[in-house]
Each structure stands twice: as structure tokens, then as C-alpha cells.
């Protein structure tokens, strides 16, 4: 919650930085996906799994921001465990 509130109140200049980083990750993903020659998914009975070695999709700007903020928030609330209600 705290991380999403920080994201919503982020100044435009800082938001542009995270959008830029996200765009760089996306371009790197596109390069890797063009170079990858193997199968993207392995057929199974229940769920299709990604093939090992297939490039992972690039994270959004919010997830890049959250990965940086997460240690700060964990340090602020050391005993708090995250869970889905």
C-alpha cells in the first residue's frame, strides 16, 4: 500500500526516470526475443510453462520503482509480513 501511494504521488520528473528505465528494459527484452530461437512454451496437460532460457518480459515502471522502494519499506516495518486477505 505504501509503495503504491508513493508511486501515485511521485513527481513528474522522477516518474519520467522510471518510465525511461522501463523503456530500456523493454528494448532489451525485444532484442532478446528476436534473438531467441527456441520454443516459447512447453505443452503440458494443465498449464503451459515457459521454456528455460526464453527471455522474460520486461517489468513496468511501477515494478522497477517498487523493487527499489521495497527494502526501505521492509526496514520501516520489520515485523510486518505481507499477505493477501
Amino acid at each position: 500500500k505504501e509503495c503504491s501511494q508513493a508511486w501515485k504521488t511521485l513527481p513528474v520528473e522522477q516518474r519520467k526516470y522510471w518510465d525511461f528505465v522501463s523503456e530500456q528494459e523493454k528494448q532489451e527484452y525485444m532484442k532478446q526475443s528476436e534473438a531467441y530461437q527456441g520454443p516459447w512454451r512447453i505443452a503440458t496437460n494443465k498449464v503451459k510453462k515457459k521454456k528455460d532460457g526464453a527471455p522474460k518480459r520486461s517489468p513496468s515502471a511501477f515494478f522497477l520503482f517498487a523493487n527499489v522502494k521495497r527494502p526501505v519499506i521492509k526496514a520501516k516495518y520489520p515485523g510486518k509480513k505481507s499477505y493477501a486477505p
Side-chain angles (χ1 to χ4, degrees):
K1 254 183 172 179
E2 189 171 327
C3 190
S4 66
Q5 289 172 350
W7 176 253
K8 289 176 186 176
T9 60
L10 201 63
V12 175
E13 301 83 30
Q14 290 180 1
R15 185 80 177 252
K16 285 181 182 180
Y17 167 77
W18 291 109
D19 288 335
F20 173 76
V21 173
S22 176
E23 187 62 33
Q24 295 298 318
E25 291 280 335
K26 186 176 182 180
Q27 289 175 2
E28 182 64 28
Y29 167 74
M30 295 304 286
K31 284 183 199 175
Q32 290 176 358
S33 65
E34 288 173 3
Y36 183 68
Q37 298 297 320
W40 283 91
R41 303 223 179 244
I42 300 172
T44 62
N45 292 342
K46 295 182 181 181
V47 178
K48 293 181 181 179
K49 297 181 181 179
K50 261 197 160 178
K51 175 75 175 167
D52 290 341
K56 288 186 177 183
R57 197 168 158 218
S58 60
S60 69
F62 172 73
F63 282 110
L64 292 169
F65 172 77
N67 286 338
V68 172
K69 282 293 203 181
R70 187 172 289 121
V72 175
I73 293 170
K74 279 189 169 188
K76 189 174 179 181
Y77 303 105
K80 186 88 170 168
K81 299 285 183 184
S82 62
Y83 64 94

